[in-house]
Structures are given as structure tokens and as C-alpha cells.
């Protein structure tokens, strides 16, 4: 280790006792994931980091949320926005579970169809999409068959 690295002060991020850590978020998607989780309303400890060094992607985002496990809908939304993200479940400061986010074969009521003439936008019909490809995510509306790529997604 070079002398200047050895003398450099270390930054530390507080560990959480119980909760969820979302790691390997594409840097530009970090605040979108925070919005999905409505972290601005969270009353427990929340840590959001961006521009963290990553051997895989150069820079990444990281979110830690104390005392919270994610719902399947939240995980599906994160998979649409940050398909390379990993979820770490923390119990008593230790990682007890780790998995990559994965999209199911279809998603319901989490994305709005971009076709203004789709029945889901004209009537009270829940949206449903078939996942055509998961990385990068691509969806096809089950009603109008419009295909959407990740940049098109409007989350409900």
C-alpha cells in the first residue's frame, strides 16, 4: 500500500442491525430506487451512497434501510430500474441472505403502458406485461402488445 493511501482518512458507513442492503445499483438509478422505496418517508436509518467504487461497473450506488424487508412489488420495480442490483438481508449485523433481483415472467400493476390508446389507460383495467427480456428489461403489454424498453417505463 502506498504511503499516501495508508495516511488517508477512512470513511465508514454505519452498519445496520436488521434490514436490507441494495447493492450494485447503476449509479444513475440510485435515486430512482430510493423513490420506489419512498425513502423520504422512512423513519428508520437510511443510507444512500453514490459514486462508490466498483470493480464490475466502475461506479455504483448502494442503499441501506434499517428494519425493512422489501415487498415482491418493490423488488420487481427495482429489477426494472436496476437489473444488476443485489439484495442483502441483514440480521444482527450479518448478511443472512443474498440474491440478485430477478423479474418474474410477467408483472402486474407496477408499470403503466406507454400506448395512450391501451385499454389500461382508458378504463379501470390493471396493467399486465410479459417480460420479453430481463437484462436490459423489455416488456410487452398483455392487452395492446406494445413493447417497452427500460427507458420507457413509467412506474405506478
Amino acid at each position: 500500500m502506498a504511503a499516501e493511501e495508508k495516511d488517508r482518512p477512512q470513511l465508514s458507513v454505519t452498519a445496520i442491525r436488521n434490514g436490507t442492503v441494495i447493492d450494485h445499483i447503476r449509479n444513475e438509478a440510485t435515486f430512482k430506487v430510493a423513490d420506489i422505496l419512498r425513502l423520504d418517508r422512512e423513519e428508520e436509518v437510511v443510507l444512500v451512497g453514490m459514486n462508490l467504487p466498483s470493480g464490475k461497473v466502475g461506479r455504483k450506488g448502494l442503499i441501506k434501510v434499517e428494519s425493512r424487508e422489501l415487498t415482491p412489488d418493490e423488488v420487481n420495480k427495482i429489477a426494472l430500474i436496476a437489473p444488476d442490483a443485489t439484495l442483502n438481508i441483514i440480521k444482527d449485523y450479518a448478511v443472512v441472505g443474498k440474491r440478485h433481483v430477478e423479474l418474474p415472467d410477467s408483472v402486474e400493476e407496477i408499470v403503466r403502458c406507454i400506448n395512450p390508446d391501451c385499454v389500461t389507460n382508458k378504463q379501470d383495467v390493471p396493467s399486465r406485461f410479459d417480460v420479453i427480456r430481463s437484462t436490459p428489461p423489455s416488456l410487452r403489454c398483455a392487452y395492446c402488445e406494445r413493447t417497452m424498453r427500460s427507458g420507457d417505463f413509467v412506474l405506478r
Side-chain angles (χ1 to χ4, degrees), residues 2-141:
E4 63 270 2
E5 286 183 31
K6 186 176 180 183
D7 296 335
R8 191 179 312 165
Q10 293 291 315
L11 300 176
S12 64
V13 178
T14 303
I16 59 174
R17 180 181 193 120
N18 298 300
T20 302
V21 176
I22 307 157
D23 198 0
H24 301 103
I25 304 168
R26 282 190 339 264
N27 210 38
E28 65 275 7
T30 305
F31 284 115
K32 291 177 186 175
V33 173
D35 285 342
I36 288 167
L37 300 176
R38 298 178 180 218
L39 295 182
D40 59 328
R41 299 177 184 169
E42 187 65 50
E43 294 186 12
E44 297 291 337
V45 171
V46 172
L47 299 163
V48 178
M50 286 182 63
N51 295 315
L52 302 169
S54 168
K56 291 181 181 178
V57 294
R59 301 251 178 221
K60 69 177 181 177
L62 173 86
I63 296 176
K64 294 183 176 188
V65 186
E66 180 82 38
S67 301
R68 180 151 169 209
E69 290 190 30
L70 305 184
T71 67
D73 275 354
E74 289 172 329
V75 173
N76 289 342
K77 287 178 182 180
I78 291 169
L80 287 170
I81 302 303
D84 299 321
T86 56
L87 301 178
N88 299 292
I89 307 304
I90 311 298
K91 303 275 187 207
D92 291 322
Y93 299 105
V95 176
V96 297
K98 182 174 186 168
R99 67 181 176 102
H100 292 278
V101 295
E102 286 183 20
L103 282 172
D105 293 334
S106 65
V107 292
E108 296 182 18
E109 298 189 57
I110 64 170
V111 177
R112 178 172 292 133
C113 185
I114 60 170
N115 178 0
D117 293 325
C118 182
V119 67
T120 61
N121 290 320
K122 294 192 172 256
Q123 298 176 19
D124 190 22
V125 175
S127 66
R128 191 173 82 235
F129 294 87
D130 296 318
V131 176
I132 301 169
R133 191 172 73 197
S134 50
T135 305
S138 183
L139 307 175
R140 182 182 311 119
C141 179

